[in-house]
Amino acid sequence: MSQQGYVAAPPYSQSQPGIGGFSAGFGPPNSSLHYGHYGDPNSSYSAPQPGVSKSTVPFGSSAPAGPPPPGTHQFSQTNFQNGPSTPGQQPHRFQGPPPPSSTGPSYPPYSHQSQPAYPNTASTSPTAQLANQLNSMQINSYGPGTTPSSRMSSGHPASFQGPQLPPPTQQQIALPPGSQVPPPANNVNGLCAQPSLPPVARQDGIPGPVPPDPNLQQLSGQPPGPGYHPQPANYGPQMAGSQLSYPGAFPGGLAQLPGPQQKKLDPDSIPSPIQVIENDKASRGGQIYATNTRGQVPPLVTTDCVIQDQGHASPRYIRCTTYCFPSSSDMAKQARIPLAAVIQPFAIVPPNETPLYVVNHGETGPIRCNRCKAYMCPFMQFIEGGRRYQCGFCNCINDVPPFFFQHLDHIGRRVDHYERPELSLGSYEYVATLDYCRNNKPPKPPAYIFMIDVSYRNINSGLVKLICDELKTLLDKLPREEQEESSAIRVGFVTYNKVLHFFNVKSSLAQPQMMVVSDVGEVFVPLLDGFLVNFQESRSVVINLLDQIPEMFADTNESETIFAPVIQAGMEALKAAECAGKLFIFHSSLPTAEAPGKLRNRDDKKLLNTDKEKTLFQPQVNSYEALARDCVANGCCVNLFLFPNQYADVASMGLVTMYTGGTLYKYNNFQLDADSPQFLSDLRKDVEKKTGFDAIMRVRTSTGFRATDFFGAIYMNNTTDVEMAAVDCDKAVTVEFKHDDKLNEDSGALIQCAVLYTSISGQRRLRIHNIGLNCSSQLADVYKTCETDALTNFFAKSAFKAILSQPLKTVREILVNQTAHMLACYRKNCASPSAVSQLILPDAMKVLPVYVNCLLKSCVLVGRPEIPTDERAYHRQLVMSMGVADTQLFFYPRLLPIHSLDLKGDTVPGALRCSEERLSEGGAFLLANGLSMFLWLGVSTPPELIQGLFNVPSFAHISTEATSLPDLDNPFSKKLKSILEHIQSRKPYTMKLMIVKQREQPEMLFRQFLVEDKSIYGGASYVDFLCCVHKEICQLLS
């Protein structure tokens, strides 16, 4: 695109702040601190200027001087549509910041699942603009062949019902010029005033760029954009704690707006994520998807189908943000669509799909290109009668080893093409030779070490006994290879408080022996022989030990604990045994005992919405990073089960878990009867998971582009090797690519991911995944093959990585800015000409704004005193290693109407959009997001449904204390239980069920998951955010 681009913005084709600065391994990211730079390492992010793109969103402006509107600080529950409530019901956690406390706030009720939203703003300008112009918005879906004139005149909103085949190429939403600005209809929650926009641009529609607002603040310390002088502005005094975000204001009184009443925009007229999911299920569900074509777009993650590997890796293993890369870096900079792949190398394959074949070339090992070291795969081209092959990645010509030689057929393909997985399949495994092993010695099978915190609280709560009782049966279920009778994994046991206790459970002993290590400053392993044992051989001694542990510490009064020395001890034990493995640590409080890794309570609400907020997500002491590095070097993965009653510094304690590819589980205010099922289910799933140990991953690409940035539960020592002490079926690594040359449209863009790992039986293997993408010099091709769910995964991880080094406000602005940029570029280069007031969305990205808005409202990106810091750090850590299916559900939960169950058939009721408008007083609804699950019951739920599910006569009798449904022998109960099991079976975390009755206090928590609505923390509704993005687009285009 030419330099002229958009007039009112910095030249469009210049290096823009895309998402994803590059930082290798630990430590501060390198010079490109600002999460941005597309291709050009020197261009760090410069803030948009007042009057450039900064004025396009009411973001980041300092709050107007003067007092906030009356009633803004008080959170009034009477605004809920579900009817008034008594003041006595007002939840204490929304009445203002919690009282300061030196011990760290204990969690407010229900906080452990809070997924709230946005810092809201004091905004005294009561007028809303764009949101209300959407009132008479119309959407026309049209196929590629429609002429602009017929499209413009069709005034019927396209109904989104039923599958539309072929899908329309773009979505058009008309915002008619000249519409008057109505007040917001008493909007859904009535919690936020409408977005306030500069009054100047209010007269009609969106005539062009909105005039700059002098109150928009420029980020300090950053150079202005090219060619623009910073405008002088009189900033009023910043209001305490207020921070302007995108649409949304203080929860509180409704804005009183003058003007005629108009009906509120019908949410059914804007793109629906549910409809997109249902359309894909209707057109592709239940079918066979064969991966035989380069650059084809797979079915959505939400669609069930059977995948047949025919030369490209299954989308279960690799999904891309777009399946057609732009051919040049200039095009990539212009569109600013992230080029990324989300790789889940050990993803579970359903029983009806073929498991991976294992190729064994014996002593010779895998065949690789001499120059780039890529492994033999379907992208290699055999020439000269089969005696040589040309590498598809670097074009180097290699000799075929004599043992591998085979003749070619009439089309130049090897005669044994279909007999060799490495020639005909996208994914397969190689048995590795000794060259691929540590110290050139074959690895030993991995070990699992269980390390239990036996401090006063854990003994007293019954947790220690619960863990010991569970391990007695769980150790029979350790993972094993299909052909083996028993697991090769050895087990060991440690307990600790201020000191460490190691146990000798050698099979020849009559009684287990305990050895105490009290020098926690210099941890050593007191015994080698008898610490790690085969459970089957030492069964009686181990069972004896598990019976004794709760009694041994029954009279303890030790409340202080250590933590880093526990990890150190586990790692040293694995190192001494010369094997990789996992530590299962069960811990409950901040480690305050004198020892390395000692932590203090540093939870400081005053840091919220300041430049220092990022420190809350960084480890408190450096020793945890060094410890993580040692663990990775020794193949020691750390799984942490946390049971905190107050602040535990997840950002520090979870760091080793994150860097070693482990999993963090957190149970706030653990209650034995209520929380045991969730914890035990998590523990069982984790112990039984298929896992690769001591893994290293390398991503190779064909010429013209390369992998530049990696996001996940990983550690990087250099810029290419992704190291994981372990990698399980749920962990995904998101990889960003950048151009270093032009791409060839004929040969496409090829990616090979190779993971070298030790299997559960102790065999060293290579797992290879290959995928080929198309390339095009037409932007339309790039937009057509985008995948919104993968884009969401990329944006979430890159934003969550960026908050370690940048203010949250900057990160949020970049997200909105990049979303608008991608859509503006489509509008300018790919869409048919139409009125400025039309919001035109590419078909493949039409629901991207919903997902970006959900991400902006996630508790990680929202600094609010009501949200515990640990909760934010926990969510951040979980998302960093999620695959595409998990981020999809996490950011846009599934809402099912349970009252319309089909008791005869086996169908699940169709999902609904996550908005309060979809709930009804006479219904029951199930909501799940992968971490939390709610059953919401309307006040007029039919008595027979209540009787069937709860075995009580009426709504009033239902207890909200229960965390599971009773086992009842009736069709309602059985059907709902099977749906719960089905949703749960696909997710890595066990979701605790919470029963919520309409108009009762816990409903507050449930509402945060209705992500299309305004959030109680001031985050915008979907409609408002769409307006905000549209305004940004108009600004860029003007």
Side-chain angles (χ1 to χ4, degrees), residues 102-124:
S102 56
T103 55
S106 51
Y107 290 89
Y110 313 116
S111 65
H112 67 290
Q113 330 197 37
S114 63
Q115 165 143 341
Y118 237 60
N120 33 39
T121 50
S123 160
T124 44

Side-chain angles (χ1 to χ4, degrees), residues 77 80 82 85 89-94 109-115 927 932-937 955 958-962 993-1010 1016:
Q77 222 188 349
F80 279 93
N82 289 339
S85 64
Q89 253 185 309
Q90 189 149 325
H92 73 272
R93 58 177 287 235
F94 299 110
Y110 313 116
S111 65
H112 67 290
Q113 330 197 37
S114 63
Q115 165 143 341
L927 183 144
S932 316
M933 196 183 264
F934 297 89
L935 181 57
W936 182 91
L937 301 157
F955 181 80
I958 298 170
S959 159
T960 52
E961 298 299 303
L993 181 68
M994 191 165 169
I995 291 156
V996 175
K997 293 161 79 171
Q998 185 179 3
R999 297 180 196 158
E1000 290 192 7
Q1001 187 205 322
E1003 199 183 23
M1004 301 299 309
L1005 177 63
F1006 169 75
R1007 281 171 191 285
Q1008 295 168 13
F1009 295 85
L1010 300 175
I1016 52 177

